Amino acid sequence: MSSGTAADLDRAPVVPARRAAVGRGRQLLRSGAARWPLTLGLVVLVGFCLLALAAPLIAPYSPDAQNMVMPLRSPSAAHPFGTDEFGRDILSRILFGARLTLLASSAAVLLAAVVGSTFGLTAGYFGGSYDAIVSRVTDVLFAFPVILLGIAIVAILGPGVPSVIVAIALASLPNFARVSRAAIIPEKEREYVVAAHVIGATTPYIIVRTLLPNLIGPLMVLVSLGFAYAILYEASLSFLGLGAQPPTPEWGVMLSTARDFLFQAPSYAFFPGASIFLLVFALNLVGDGLRDVVDPHRRGR
Amino acid sequence: MTRYLLLRVLGVIPTLLGITILVFGITYLIPGDPALIIAGTDASPEVIDQLRRRWGLDQPVWVRYGIWFGNILQGNLGESYFSRQTVVQLVGNALPVTLELAILSLLVAVVIAVPAGILSAVKVGSWFDVAAAAVSFVGLSIPGFWLGIMLIYVFGVYFQILPAGGFTPLERGLVANLQSMILPAIALGTFASTQLMRYLRASLLDVLNADYIRTARAKGVREWAVLVRHAVRNALIPFTTVLGVQMGYLLGGTVIIESVFALPGMGRLVLTAILNRDYQVATGIILLIAAAFVLINLVVDLLYPVLDPRVRLARPEG
């Protein structure tokens, strides 16, 4: 740590003032240019949230309204995304499906973030045998692919959205524990933390009020990337029949049915998957953009 | 060095033990009496009691864990409640399919990632670099099972040049076998290829800034030789580690891709087992895949010093 400070001091006077100014201007320009993916990602994400919220108002049909006279139609003016095997409007079902996907995935990620970083932060802060146990449990959880954890949880709780949430939370938890642990270890030695100790702050106060605000950056990056994975896994587990069950409008369930009608209605399989892709893409853009903001050294890598 | 290897090998043991405890915990937490599931709800109490004793279900938890763990050490992972086949037999039939899928997917990923990663790093900032980054970002966000379905539509339904699903074993010819595996391998390997490409590009960029590259250029080594002999060789060392990690993820990903393409592998086996409440099969396979993940990572770690003499010769602390 002390060597880092010394290197900084060494480096500082080498850069002439004028070059530093030019560099800063170029850097500003570059950061403005580099931030458009983040903006795009946020716009798409917020768009999806608004569409999900407004689903009952903007959906052209009820998601469950059957129309047996026109099953498996291609996109048309009346049904922009076509109809499914019961003549239900696919666009309406996708809009309502967005609600379930967004709710379930965000619940899973928040659960993982709160529990995982609580364990990670305390393990990194206190160290010792507690840290060893937490790290070991993290290693064990890491060894289970998400889908298999999902299958195991479904065996215990039965298929359904709650099982999927628990499975994704359990699978994402080790990431939060590892990253927050790795982040707090160098940070707890810093002077402002020592200062907080000196003025008599309690340990919970130091962890939550002093250290956590300085670790929020990397955790935010992890939340947005974890959110992207959660959406992928939520859809995957539902696709396998482990999550939401038909006739619930859910993207993974829709894809699983659509696979059987590829010959008659390829658009049926296209739109739910494209929705998953767009949402995951947006969240990856947000995560990547946030990482560049949090850690400017990484930019362009 | 031997000490490092020994510590690394021994360090795996607690993780593997933890995996067995977790998997046993799952079998223990699964609701419903297995004896009732096997015998059916209308079986007589005597039959059920007999079954309980036969499967050791009347013992306390730790005894059951002991019995279960002892069986695993002897290579007995349990048997199907229904078909009476042992898990080892079932896995023996399914494993080759899953392994072929995972290896072909890794191959697809490497074939895409290595040239793209090298070219991106060498021509950093060029149109190719930008385009490759964009394409990899798209690939990273595509759900593998959707990609699989779309591939089935394009090649299996629309052009009808590849089978739309199902598995052709190797005995019926290599070409037919590969035809049934190529779409699943692409669907599964795409995600891994984006990860590998980004990683290779980053590590190659690090290497290209190293002093010994400047030295090589300064003494007049030709640019392609600098790249091939000095830079790429060094960048590939950390790359192998990532390759191992990706192999582990691919094993997990086979579950869903096998379901999309109706391939009779481990993933399909575990999925049908769980839907039929055939829990010994399900937990046996979950245990095997988790253990395989840990062991693959171990092998990669052990390979590291073989690939990198600097690690081999250095004296690691601790």
Side-chain angles (χ1 to χ4, degrees), chain B residues 170-224:
Chain B
L170 201 55
E171 295 87 72
R172 283 207 260 142
L174 181 67
V175 175
N177 171 261
L178 286 180
Q179 276 177 343
S180 72
M181 286 306 245
I182 183 68
L183 294 183
I186 293 173
L188 187 56
T190 298
F191 180 82
S193 79
T194 66
Q195 304 288 301
L196 293 177
M197 192 208 100
R198 292 172 141 216
Y199 193 86
L200 185 59
R201 175 182 178 272
S203 67
L204 193 55
L205 278 178
D206 274 343
V207 171
L208 284 171
N209 281 324
D211 289 339
Y212 60 82
I213 296 293
R214 201 177 341 163
T215 310
R217 282 187 182 140
K219 72 178 185 190
V221 178
R222 261 177 249 127
E223 191 58 32
W224 67 265

Side-chain angles (χ1 to χ4, degrees), chain B residues 138-152:
Chain B
V138 169
L140 174 78
S141 312
I142 290 185
F145 57 107
W146 182 55
L147 181 60
I149 293 174
M150 291 294 112
L151 287 173
I152 291 178

Side-chain angles (χ1 to χ4, degrees), chain A residues 170-187:
Chain A
L170 263 182
S172 324
L173 207 147
N175 260 327
F176 283 97
R178 273 195 185 175
V179 169
S180 54
R181 179 180 173 277
I184 200 172
I185 287 177
E187 201 73 13

Side-chain angles (χ1 to χ4, degrees), chain B residues 69-83:
Chain B
F69 189 65
N71 283 337
I72 285 170
L73 288 185
Q74 293 167 33
N76 175 7
L77 289 164
E79 59 181 56
S80 166
Y81 291 149
F82 305 109
S83 70

Side-chain angles (χ1 to χ4, degrees), chain A:
Chain A
M1 214 195 66
S2 53
S3 69
T5 332
D8 286 348
L9 282 176
D10 276 355
R11 207 172 299 138
V14 177
V15 183
R18 213 169 58 88
R19 255 190 71 193
V22 172
R24 206 173 301 140
R26 204 178 283 160
Q27 217 167 28
L28 268 177
L29 254 179
R30 211 188 299 153
S31 70
R35 225 164 263 168
W36 71 261
L38 176 61
T39 315
L40 178 69
L42 281 173
V43 167
V44 175
L45 177 63
V46 170
F48 262 103
C49 291
L50 289 178
L51 287 176
L53 270 177
L57 301 174
I58 54 173
Y61 302 87
S62 152
D64 305 314
Q66 300 190 0
N67 184 354
M68 293 310 277
V69 223
M70 41 187 313
L72 298 169
R73 290 296 160 90
S74 304
S76 63
H79 297 280
F81 288 0
T83 61
D84 71 4
E85 76 277 22
F86 296 114
R88 295 175 298 199
D89 181 52
I90 290 176
L91 172 62
S92 307
R93 291 181 69 74
I94 285 180
L95 286 171
F96 276 89
R99 305 182 124 198
L100 180 59
T101 297
L102 284 169
L103 269 179
S105 317
S106 49
V109 172
L110 286 182
L111 201 64
V114 171
V115 178
S117 31
T118 304
F119 277 114
L121 290 176
T122 48
Y125 189 83
F126 295 114
S129 52
Y130 171 67
D131 180 27
I133 293 171
V134 170
S135 302
R136 194 53 73 192
V137 173
T138 316
D139 284 350
V140 170
L141 274 180
F142 241 123
F144 289 89
V146 185
I147 303 290
L148 282 189
L149 264 185
I151 288 175
I153 301 290
V154 165
I156 298 170
L157 300 177
V161 180
S163 304
V164 168
I165 294 177
V166 172
I168 297 171
L170 263 182
S172 324
L173 207 147
N175 260 327
F176 283 97
R178 273 195 185 175
V179 169
S180 54
R181 179 180 173 277
I184 200 172
I185 287 177
E187 201 73 13
K188 71 176 179 183
E189 313 282 340
R190 299 274 290 265
E191 274 152 4
Y192 69 91
V193 184
V194 179
H197 268 297
V198 171
I199 61 169
T202 59
T203 305
Y205 183 91
I206 290 177
I207 294 180
V208 177
R209 301 295 296 272
T210 312
L211 278 165
L212 192 58
N214 288 295
L215 306 174
I216 213 77
L219 287 178
M220 282 299 295
V221 173
L222 214 53
V223 165
S224 43
L225 295 178
F227 199 5
Y229 283 110
I231 284 169
L232 274 180
Y233 291 134
E234 193 268 338
S236 308
L237 290 167
S238 306
F239 177 84
L240 292 174
L242 305 172
Q245 300 292 321
T248 314
E250 199 280 338
W251 297 347
V253 176
M254 291 171 77
L255 262 174
S256 151
T257 324
R259 181 190 40 180
D260 300 332
F261 299 107
L262 266 184
F263 193 74
Q264 299 98 313
S267 57
Y268 185 6
F270 177 78
F271 289 108
S275 312
I276 303 172
F277 164 70
L278 259 184
L279 192 49
V280 172
F281 186 66
L283 280 162
N284 277 330
L285 283 180
V286 173
D288 223 51
L290 277 180
R291 186 153 51 191
D292 286 349
V293 173
V294 171
D295 179 10
H297 304 292
R298 235 194 117 262
R299 192 166 296 148
R301 297 296 301 270

Side-chain angles (χ1 to χ4, degrees), chain B residues 54-254:
Chain B
R54 200 187 136 198
W55 298 84
L57 297 171
D58 51 347
Q59 305 283 333
V61 195
W62 56 89
V63 179
R64 280 173 63 183
Y65 174 72
I67 297 173
W68 182 79
F69 189 65
N71 283 337
I72 285 170
L73 288 185
Q74 293 167 33
N76 175 7
L77 289 164
E79 59 181 56
S80 166
Y81 291 149
F82 305 109
S83 70
R84 283 294 141 87
Q85 277 183 292
T86 64
V87 173
V88 175
Q89 281 173 327
L90 289 168
V91 166
N93 294 331
L95 186 64
V97 180
T98 298
L99 271 186
E100 187 186 349
L101 175 57
I103 290 170
L104 282 178
S105 307
L106 199 61
L107 206 66
V108 167
V110 168
V111 165
I112 299 172
V114 170
I118 293 177
L119 206 56
S120 285
V122 172
K123 310 242 173 215
V124 62
S126 69
W127 66 267
F128 179 84
D129 185 27
V130 174
V135 170
S136 87
F137 218 84
V138 169
L140 174 78
S141 312
I142 290 185
F145 57 107
W146 182 55
L147 181 60
I149 293 174
M150 291 294 112
L151 287 173
I152 291 178
Y153 175 69
V154 173
F155 295 100
V157 176
Y158 192 80
F159 290 118
Q160 306 204 338
I161 46 177
L162 285 168
F167 175 69
T168 313
L170 201 55
E171 295 87 72
R172 283 207 260 142
L174 181 67
V175 175
N177 171 261
L178 286 180
Q179 276 177 343
S180 72
M181 286 306 245
I182 183 68
L183 294 183
I186 293 173
L188 187 56
T190 298
F191 180 82
S193 79
T194 66
Q195 304 288 301
L196 293 177
M197 192 208 100
R198 292 172 141 216
Y199 193 86
L200 185 59
R201 175 182 178 272
S203 67
L204 193 55
L205 278 178
D206 274 343
V207 171
L208 284 171
N209 281 324
D211 289 339
Y212 60 82
I213 296 293
R214 201 177 341 163
T215 310
R217 282 187 182 140
K219 72 178 185 190
V221 178
R222 261 177 249 127
E223 191 58 32
W224 67 265
V226 171
L227 195 67
V228 174
R229 284 205 209 122
H230 299 256
V232 173
R233 267 186 74 178
N234 275 297
L236 281 178
I237 295 167
F239 184 73
T240 51
T241 321
V242 185
L243 216 59
V245 174
Q246 287 301 325
M247 185 71 190
Y249 286 129
L250 287 176
L251 274 182
T254 54

